[in-house]
Amino acid sequence: MSANSLMKRLRAIQWSWLGLMVLTAISVAVFREVRPVCSGLLLGEVGGLFVIFSMIRQGHLNDDVQGQLLFASGMMGMFARLALIVVIMVISLKFKALFNPYAALVGYALSFVFIIIGMYRYAKNPPDQRR
């Protein structure tokens, strides 16, 4: 796999995530009896959108950042994602009538599942680095 195929795979992950968000938004409108669960899932997915973009955007693909700067960048991303889940859980717990907290947590965690499943094939067949 080349860098071009990696970028195609990352775009596929992004578009499939946006498709899942659209389906969840439609389910919020259609299924009124389980609206708190669906809207909690959508709240978590909105937070998961940040996870998707922060973890798979081009990042340091072309700027040769290494060592301490790369470590600091990764730590900042990790803390930003941690702070985001705290915000999502506070919102879902504050407005329990609107958002199911468990569904919000599942919606957020699904973003990591999408990344792992989407990158599995790339990890099994990495590109040739000898060029």
Side-chain angles (χ1 to χ4, degrees), residues 46-66:
V46 169
L49 187 63
F50 172 76
V51 171
I52 295 284
F53 285 121
S54 73
M55 289 185 77
I56 67 172
R57 70 183 197 280
Q58 286 190 359
H60 301 294
L61 192 59
N62 297 319
D63 62 3
D64 294 328
V65 171
Q66 296 177 355

Side-chain angles (χ1 to χ4, degrees), residues 65-76:
V65 171
Q66 296 177 355
Q68 290 179 342
L69 288 176
L70 185 61
F71 178 76
S73 173
M75 292 302 290
M76 284 179 57

